[in-house]
Amino acid sequence: MDVRRRFPKSAAAAAAASPTEIASVGGAARVQASDALPLPIRHTNLLFSALFAASLVFLMRRWREKIRSSTPLHVVGLSELLAIVGLVASLIYLISFFGITFVQSIVSSHDEDDFLLNHAPAPAPAPTPCPLLCDAAPSPEKMPAVTEEDEEIILSVVAGKTPSYILESKLGDCRRAAGIRREVLRRMTGRSLEGLPLDGFDYGSILGQCCELPVGYVQLPVGIAGPLVLDGRQYYVPMATTEGCLVASTNRGCKAIAESGGAESVVLRDGMTRAPAVRLPSARRAAELKAFLEEPSNFETLAVVFNRSSRFARLQGIQCALAGRNLYMRFSCSTGDAMGMNMVSKGVQNVLDYLQGDFPDMDVISISGNFCSDKKPAAVNWIEGRGKSVVCEATIKEDVVKKVLKTTVSALVELNMIKNLAGSAVAGALGGFNAHASNIVSAIFIATGQDPAQNVESSHCITMMEAVNDGKDLHVSVTMPSIEVGTVGGGTHLASQAACLDLLGVKGANLESPGANARLLATIVAGSVLAGELSLLSALAAGQLVKSHMKYNRSSKDISKAA
């Protein structure tokens, strides 16, 4: 996001900043319009507010006297003329001061639909360097001098007079706000955050949508696994992780798939869900609402109401469940290339407002009643699906199993049965009939700007293996019923994450076929999980897991290990 668009340097916007909020960039003070005022900005605000109120009261009283005495209103004296001028001048000042932020918020805000149509975000300007803080541990020799203006703000935040969360809007400089907040944290805790970078990140790109109260950013290495040959195309898969062996193992699985002719995938379902919880006076009344929602003749009307929320949201179905007099309504809808949580929530709110007309005794407890189910392991997602439901399969040739995976077909089939199926059943697993699907899902999610918390349900996976072609070759598949991904919205617009999406060829929205990019990303996730499952299970079957982790998952400067 362009910081300059959110904080334009107009006279009105500059007047909203106090003299203590002048930024010091490169050693030179940035001049603002408020510098020309003879009084501090807070006194000027009080003066114009009092002038506005006094002028308005005076004119109202004068006009009331004229109406009572039948005097024409357009006949004005000098005092009235001065009052009118004062009223207009103070009104202009107050609108400029208090209205500019509201207007800018409207101009700069973006609905999910705008993301879908404007899938290529404008390049953000490089962050302006600020000498307020250095990334290393502060010391008298290395720490840059803090300007008097910044020092006053820091002391105000430390004293609790200025809330930390309004620094961006007060200063109009996201990088400077992060630096001040970081210095406040250092003084309050006595800890320097050494090693947490501050410079080198565009803080304006996260303002109002990705992260609040930033003080820096965490660095994560990104590795590439591939090529993953999937549905006749090659993909180089970015994975952000700190677990040694993960990328290398997934890369080996990709090699085995590629040398066997590639993998194939199919998307079974595509629909995001949201399930509000409502309460009615009685269970009978709740059952009546359930019957109304499930009546096929009412679906078209409900769909029209729901679909008004977005040009991409399309209601697919409503599934209801009763618990006493509480009703849980699970709405499912398509969401284009967005992951779609906000989109479906807006549609659900429209339907709830509509239902209040026929069911005025309906009490909405929450827009989300956990029957969705979001960011929690749940049988409803495992059975009904959520997001994208994907199956990916491949047939691995016998010689590839021996040469690349260093094991045998029979050993893999037996291990998968005893570990992934029987072992998970003994553990009472819910959606966890796999070796390590969440490893791959999390790494790709972080690299591509997905919501990492949705790894919980997105990693639901059952891995199947069986011997085919007279027992010579291995058929392997992963079934993942709830992969929740998007290629627009959320963190997908950030520079690093957008670059990873672009590497996969799914950056932004697909204008020709809305939703195609998100579905393709889901199949790539499933294909990568397939590769990861193949490699890890092969390492377990061959007894190589501990050996490989001891060799590659330990800190070492020996670059020969990378071979």
Side-chain angles (χ1 to χ4, degrees):
M1 183 182 296
D2 193 337
V3 178
R4 292 173 297 176
R5 197 172 81 186
R6 187 173 285 272
F7 302 100
K9 304 303 181 204
S10 64
S18 68
T20 62
E21 296 164 2
I22 302 175
S24 175
V25 179
R30 186 175 63 214
V31 179
Q32 299 187 10
S34 60
D35 298 344
L37 295 175
L39 295 174
I41 192 67
R42 58 182 179 275
H43 295 160
T44 307
N45 292 341
L46 292 174
L47 177 62
F48 276 97
S49 299
L51 178 61
F52 176 79
S55 300
L56 183 61
V57 171
F58 176 78
L59 289 174
M60 294 297 292
R61 289 181 175 178
R62 290 290 299 156
W63 290 341
R64 183 175 61 180
E65 294 173 0
K66 288 184 177 182
I67 292 173
R68 289 178 177 177
S69 60
S70 300
T71 303
L73 295 179
H74 63 273
V75 178
V76 295
L78 179 60
S79 60
E80 292 174 305
L81 184 61
L82 291 176
I84 292 174
V85 172
L87 180 69
V88 173
S90 59
L91 182 62
I92 292 175
Y93 175 85
L94 293 174
I95 289 177
S96 300
F97 184 80
F98 294 106
I100 191 69
T101 303
F102 175 73
V103 174
Q104 288 169 353
S105 66
I106 295 177
V107 173
S108 63
S109 63
H110 294 281
D111 187 78
E112 276 193 16
D113 295 344
D114 297 328
F115 277 119
L116 292 168
L117 295 179
N118 302 293
H119 57 287
T128 305
C130 177
L132 179 64
L133 290 172
C134 58
D135 292 336
S139 65
E141 297 80 10
K142 298 182 179 180
M143 182 119 179
V146 177
T147 64
E148 292 183 5
E149 293 81 5
D150 288 335
E151 180 66 23
E152 185 175 343
I153 298 173
I154 291 170
L155 293 176
S156 178
V157 176
V158 171
K161 298 178 180 178
T162 300
S164 177
Y165 61 83
I166 68 170
L167 289 176
E168 281 81 3
S169 60
K170 282 178 65 68
L171 302 177
D173 186 336
C174 295
R175 163 58 181 79
R176 182 182 173 209
I180 289 176
R181 185 178 294 113
R182 182 177 175 128
E183 173 63 10
V184 169
L185 185 63
R186 184 189 70 82
R187 296 189 186 185
M188 295 180 69
T189 64
R191 301 185 181 277
S192 65
L193 294 180
E194 180 182 0
L196 183 69
L198 177 64
D199 288 316
F201 186 80
D202 181 12
Y203 292 95
S205 65
I206 63 173
L207 183 64
Q209 54 186 324
C210 289
C211 181
E212 300 77 36
L213 306 172
V215 295
Y217 60 97
V218 172
Q219 296 170 307
L220 275 177
V222 177
I224 298 296
L228 170 66
V229 179
L230 178 65
D231 298 324
R233 297 176 60 185
Q234 291 187 353
Y235 302 96
Y236 289 88
V237 184
M239 302 174 67
T241 181
T242 56
E243 180 181 349
C245 292
L246 179 58
V247 179
S249 178
T250 307
N251 190 66
R252 182 174 75 148
C254 290
K255 180 180 180 181
I257 292 173
E259 292 190 5
S260 298
E264 294 183 349
S265 66
V266 58
V267 178
L268 304 177
R269 286 185 295 264
D270 181 7
M272 181 49 63
T273 63
R274 174 61 85 196
V278 300
R279 181 171 57 206
L280 289 101
S282 65
R284 181 180 296 277
R285 187 65 171 152
E288 291 175 0
L289 176 55
K290 179 177 182 295
F292 177 86
L293 293 170
E294 295 178 344
E295 173 60 42
S297 60
N298 294 330
F299 179 80
E300 184 176 351
T301 301
L302 296 173
V304 171
V305 174
F306 184 98
N307 296 345
R308 284 203 302 259
S309 63
S310 168
R311 74 198 94 184
F312 295 99
R314 292 295 176 266
L315 183 63
Q316 298 172 338
I318 306 174
Q319 180 183 4
C320 296
L322 266 175
R325 61 189 181 117
N326 301 314
L327 179 64
Y328 301 84
M329 303 170 281
R330 192 172 191 258
F331 291 78
S332 176
C333 83
S334 59
T335 57
D337 284 301
M339 184 271 290
M341 285 299 301
N342 292 335
M343 193 181 297
V344 66
S345 295
K346 289 188 291 185
V348 168
Q349 187 61 58
N350 286 349
V351 175
L352 291 176
D353 294 341
Y354 171 78
L355 291 175
Q356 292 279 188
D358 292 328
F359 295 87
D361 51 352
M362 180 184 73
D363 182 17
V364 179
I365 303 300
S366 172
I367 190 71
S368 174
N370 275 10
F371 186 41
C372 313
S373 174
D374 187 41
K375 300 170 183 171
K376 291 166 285 291
V380 68
N381 293 337
W382 177 244
I383 298 170
E384 299 292 338
R386 189 172 195 253
K388 280 71 175 168
S389 299
V390 183
V391 177
C392 188
E393 63 179 351
T395 299
I396 310 300
K397 298 177 181 177
E398 182 182 26
D399 61 327
V400 174
V401 173
K402 294 179 179 179
K403 182 180 66 174
V404 178
L405 301 179
K406 312 298 183 183
T407 186
T408 64
V409 172
S410 59
L412 282 174
V413 172
E414 181 183 37
L415 174 63
N416 185 70
M417 176 66 69
I418 295 175
K419 170 184 168 61
N420 285 347
L421 303 183
S424 297
V426 170
L430 179 59
F433 297 88
N434 57 82
H436 70 150
S438 63
N439 251 341
I440 292 87
V441 173
S442 295
I444 298 176
F445 270 32
I446 295 172
T448 58
Q450 310 304 312
D451 188 340
Q454 290 184 322
N455 163 69
V456 174
E457 62 267 39
S458 296
S459 296
H460 281 356
C461 171
I462 182 169
T463 300
M464 302 293 293
M465 289 184 174
E466 58 182 307
V468 294
N469 300 329
D470 297 327
K472 295 182 179 179
D473 301 330
L474 175 73
H475 181 272
V476 56
S477 68
V478 292
T479 303
M480 307 180 70
S482 50
I483 301 178
E484 299 168 2
V485 293
T487 57
V488 295
T492 62
H493 76 287
L494 300 177
S496 301
Q497 288 80 349
C500 291
L501 289 171
D502 192 43
L503 175 65
L504 295 172
V506 295
K507 177 183 175 182
N510 190 310
L511 301 181
E512 297 179 358
S513 178
N517 280 1
R519 287 190 291 271
L520 177 56
L521 178 58
T523 62
I524 293 173
V525 171
S528 302
V529 169
L530 182 71
E533 291 287 281
L534 263 177
S535 186
L536 176 57
L537 289 171
S538 297
L540 290 169
Q544 298 173 339
L545 179 68
V546 174
K547 180 181 177 180
S548 62
H549 272 266
M550 290 301 100
K551 183 177 181 180
Y552 296 106
N553 202 15
R554 287 294 182 271
S555 176
S556 172
K557 301 299 182 182
D558 184 3
I559 62 173
S560 65
K561 288 184 177 182

